[in-house]
Amino acid sequence: MSVLTSPTLGFARAGGPPSPGEAPAAEEPPDSGERHRLTAVTGLAALSLDAMASVAYGPEAIVLVLAAAGAHGLGFTLPVTLAIAGLLAVLVASYRQVIAAFPDGGGSYAVAKTHLGARTSLVAAASLVLDYVLNVAVAVTAGVAALTSAFPELYGDRLWLCLVVLVLITGVNLRGIVESARAFIVPTAVFVVSILILIGIGLFRSAPVSTEAAAGHASVLSENATTVGALLLLKAFASGCSALTGVEAIANAVPSFRVPRVKRAQRAEVALGAVLGVMLIGLSVLISRFHLQPVEGVTVLAQLADASLGHNWAFYVIQFATMILLALSANTSFGGLPVLLKLLARDNYLPHVFALKADRQVHRHGVLALSLVSAALLVFSGGDTNTLVPLFAIGVFVGFTIAQVGMVVHWRGERGRGWRGKALLNGFGGLLTGVSAVVVTATKFEEGAWLIVIALPLLVAAFTAVHRAYARIGERLGLGRIPEHPHRDRSVVIVPVSNLSRLTVEALNAAASLGDEVRAVTVCHPDPEDRAQLYALERDWARWDPGVPLVRLTSERRSLGRPIAAYVGETAAAEPGTRVTVLIPEVEPDRLWQRLLQNQRGAVVAHAVRKDTDAVICRLRFRI
């Protein structure tokens, strides 16, 4: 039976809202021993996939912007990358401080919630939501781009390949299969070692050993431009900063590390910054050394692998390692966003259905929501990575900036030893990421960045609207106040019937157990066939004599729910203070396909009674 009062509304739940330092992207598991927690190495493998995989599209984003200034513009690839590496160093140092200040986990959501207020924390949460969604779309498209670079004949089908990969990842997450940190070590190590070997060998080459990957593909290099403006450099810097995504992931999961948690997490953060910085700078040096030009249909990383290692098995290892790591980095969002949605739902900023878990401890609704929105983004972009990367950067930079500003407030409040230097570091990082967010939004506004400009405040408005709705419901329910003592009212149970059967007997037995008075009702239509059935039912009812009156409800129209709802309303009005319950008996077949044979009359009656009355609805399932 189901009644109007649903236990899944979520108000009377155990536990309260998350603490100020609680991480939005990592759910604290039950403590089962330190051996089940992360070391610095396994933490680097499990929590750095977004950042490591970003080298597949970060350098390409820089090159594509500078290509507008021709070959002269590509000469600025290394200086722009060095500037990004400098920002990476600032962010790593800053997030080491976040780890120390929020040992229970955090990130922009936790920092903003503690130091900048509820509204700013919602902006941080919205940016995290956009970050997670775009991470899936960018990772999937970049992974498929790596595949199509190795097999160009698949380029025309890249959108369908992206959707297939998304379906596979969604299916894995719906089954609750969570990869352990040890499982991430192998693909992460293969990718990082492959990139470092590519860079090491490339540094000893004076010219590309092969250009077969780019052969036959149209160049996107501008041939007329001769100057490079400051705005173009800022645009390249902002686009390339997409390679910094994932730097904050370790700070979100400090409780997952072994003791001493803060030191291990800080070591992992520094290792992430060092490895990512070496790969970004190394790839940029090779781009300049080989005078690489971006071409349509082949990634920059694929061209670098071709130029450094040759078009052989090593080239394909790079492509497959990139594709696998990108797919795994998309899976990170499926683990993070549903937990963030759960925390927002627990704070009454999202429907409480997002806080529910399936049997396999999966936040199914969050996984499905992420999959559907990511699929829409893939269709919107046509499976093109470069369309999505600028959108990706905006959400990331907003989160970075909020975290830095929140940490400045934190250090001003602490005023401990060296607080001025720490606040200055965070302030400088916030300035850089804030400028990057403004630049990439302005330069990419007409190319799709307007979507983020609209989506971010809309998400915040949606969070606020949901919170207000729950507040109104909570006020009407009297949450937080001691209610009056329960008392027993006289009750009438109304049972719709259409014939005599075992289902009728079970319904009347249940009704007699629920209420003081039971009434059976049947709806009569003017058709001769219906009248004949009514007379037969009344005759059999009189012979059976169950001790329950059978009330005839006449309806001139072919309507079933409205006459019953009208009778329920009349009963409630005629007997004030009496609680009216409608018990709807329904057959539940033992096979799923047999439910298609049902006439759905119970659903029709329930909908009409719920719409027009305040009666309690019970639906009795009779299994056969």
Side-chain angles (χ1 to χ4, degrees):
M1 290 189 298
S2 64
V3 294
L4 284 175
T5 305
S6 172
T8 61
L9 188 60
F11 284 104
R13 62 187 181 274
S19 61
E22 188 169 356
E27 187 177 12
E28 179 95 13
D31 190 8
S32 56
E34 290 297 308
R35 64 188 181 89
H36 295 293
R37 297 183 184 271
L38 299 173
T39 64
V41 175
T42 55
L44 183 65
L47 300 173
S48 66
L49 295 180
D50 290 353
M52 296 297 183
S54 64
V55 301
Y57 47 80
E60 183 161 5
I62 299 173
V63 171
L64 286 174
V65 172
L66 295 177
H72 183 59
L74 292 180
F76 287 85
T77 300
L78 182 56
V80 170
T81 303
L82 290 175
I84 294 173
L87 177 57
L88 172 63
V90 173
L91 287 174
V92 168
S94 175
Y95 273 102
R96 287 185 77 253
Q97 296 178 357
V98 173
I99 291 170
F102 290 86
D104 292 330
S108 59
Y109 179 73
V111 174
K113 189 174 181 180
T114 306
H115 298 296
L116 301 179
R119 182 56 62 91
T120 306
S121 72
L122 292 183
V123 175
S127 68
L128 282 173
V129 170
L130 295 175
D131 183 11
Y132 280 127
V133 172
L134 286 168
N135 175 59
V136 174
V138 169
V140 170
T141 55
V144 171
L147 180 64
T148 56
S149 296
F151 302 97
E153 61 273 12
L154 298 176
Y155 183 74
D157 298 322
R158 63 189 184 280
L159 175 58
W160 291 108
L161 290 172
C162 289
L163 294 175
V164 169
V165 172
L166 179 61
V167 169
L168 292 175
I169 296 175
T170 303
V172 169
N173 283 275
L174 285 176
R175 289 186 57 84
I177 300 176
V178 181
E179 296 287 347
S180 66
R182 293 184 179 87
F184 288 136
I185 290 179
V186 174
T188 304
V190 170
F191 178 79
V192 172
V193 171
S194 299
I195 298 298
L196 293 179
I197 291 175
L198 182 157
I199 294 172
I201 295 178
L203 291 176
F204 289 96
R205 297 190 186 278
S206 58
V209 68
S210 172
T211 58
E212 184 177 345
H217 294 267
S219 174
V220 298
L221 189 68
S222 175
E223 297 179 356
N224 300 323
T226 57
T227 59
V228 180
L231 182 60
L232 185 67
L233 292 177
L234 283 175
K235 183 178 177 181
F237 172 80
S239 296
C241 279
S242 58
L244 303 181
T245 58
V247 173
E248 78 288 353
I250 293 175
N252 289 338
V254 179
S256 299
F257 284 84
R258 294 181 183 177
V259 175
R261 309 193 201 289
V262 170
K263 289 186 178 180
R264 290 184 186 274
Q266 288 179 330
R267 291 170 188 166
E269 186 74 41
V270 172
L272 167 62
V275 174
L276 181 58
V278 168
M279 290 194 295
L280 288 175
I281 296 174
L283 293 176
S284 177
V285 170
L286 293 187
I287 291 172
S288 301
R289 176 182 289 267
F290 295 144
H291 304 289
L292 184 144
Q293 297 184 6
V295 298
E296 184 178 352
V298 180
T299 65
V300 169
L301 186 60
Q303 292 187 65
L304 288 176
D306 195 30
S308 180
L309 304 175
H311 205 80
N312 48 32
W313 63 269
F315 169 82
Y316 290 99
V317 167
I318 294 286
Q319 300 311 110
F320 280 111
T322 303
M323 181 181 64
I324 292 173
L325 194 72
L326 285 166
L328 289 178
S329 69
N331 192 66
T332 302
S333 290
F334 280 92
L337 180 61
V339 175
L340 172 62
L341 298 183
K342 170 210 163 186
L343 294 174
L344 288 170
R346 198 171 70 178
D347 280 347
N348 295 334
Y349 287 113
L350 279 180
H352 289 163
V353 69
F354 286 106
L356 300 178
K357 282 186 178 182
D359 293 338
R360 296 175 180 266
Q361 298 297 303
V362 177
H363 296 287
R364 181 176 298 167
H365 295 88
V367 170
L368 290 176
L370 174 58
S371 179
L372 290 175
V373 177
S374 300
L377 278 176
L378 290 174
V379 174
F380 163 77
S381 67
D384 181 24
T385 306
N386 299 316
T387 303
L388 295 169
V389 168
L391 310 184
F392 192 24
I394 297 174
V396 173
F397 290 147
V398 169
F400 282 162
T401 305
I402 290 176
Q404 305 306 309
V405 173
M407 288 303 297
V408 172
V409 176
H410 171 78
W411 296 125
R412 288 186 61 184
E414 291 285 333
R415 291 187 178 272
R417 182 178 180 182
W419 73 271
R420 295 181 185 276
K422 296 176 181 179
L424 181 63
L425 175 64
N426 290 128
F428 182 62
L431 177 64
L432 292 179
T433 55
V435 169
S436 298
V438 172
V439 170
V440 74
T441 302
T443 56
K444 290 291 185 179
F445 188 82
E446 295 183 356
E447 300 178 27
W450 58 269
L451 284 173
I452 305 301
V453 175
I454 294 176
L456 194 61
L458 283 180
L459 274 175
V460 174
F463 295 156
T464 304
V466 171
H467 192 268
R468 288 175 179 171
Y470 276 128
R472 289 194 297 268
I473 296 173
E475 180 63 27
R476 293 178 182 178
L477 291 177
L479 293 178
R481 299 193 297 267
I482 302 298
E484 61 183 16
H485 288 286
H487 61 277
R488 189 178 188 278
D489 293 329
R490 182 179 180 275
S491 58
V492 174
V493 183
I494 297 173
V495 183
V497 298
S498 59
N499 51 47
L500 292 184
S501 65
R502 289 181 58 193
L503 179 63
T504 309
V505 177
E506 291 294 331
L508 295 183
N509 289 338
S513 302
L514 290 174
D516 300 314
E517 180 183 352
V518 179
R519 303 175 190 174
V521 297
T522 186
V523 179
C524 173
H525 300 113
D527 297 347
E529 181 180 354
D530 289 336
R531 287 189 173 277
Q533 292 180 354
L534 172 65
Y535 295 147
L537 174 61
E538 290 180 332
R539 182 186 67 247
D540 294 341
W541 195 274
R543 293 172 56 188
W544 181 35
D545 190 17
V548 174
L550 178 64
V551 180
R552 178 198 299 186
L553 304 178
T554 303
S555 175
E556 297 299 327
R557 299 182 179 181
R558 301 294 300 179
S559 176
L560 178 65
R562 289 182 180 179
I564 296 177
Y567 178 76
V568 171
E570 294 170 1
T571 302
E575 303 180 39
T578 299
R579 186 173 298 276
V580 180
T581 301
V582 180
L583 188 145
I584 304 172
E586 296 176 298
V587 173
E588 184 174 297
D590 58 347
R591 297 184 182 277
L592 183 62
W593 69 269
Q594 292 176 342
R595 298 184 183 182
L596 299 174
L597 307 178
Q598 294 178 289
N599 55 27
Q600 305 300 322
R601 296 178 65 180
V604 172
V605 173
H607 174 74
V609 173
R610 182 180 294 110
K611 177 182 177 183
D612 298 332
T613 75
D614 294 328
V616 177
I617 300 175
C618 295
R619 301 181 72 170
L620 175 66
R621 307 288 186 178
F622 182 71
R623 297 185 178 181
I624 58 174

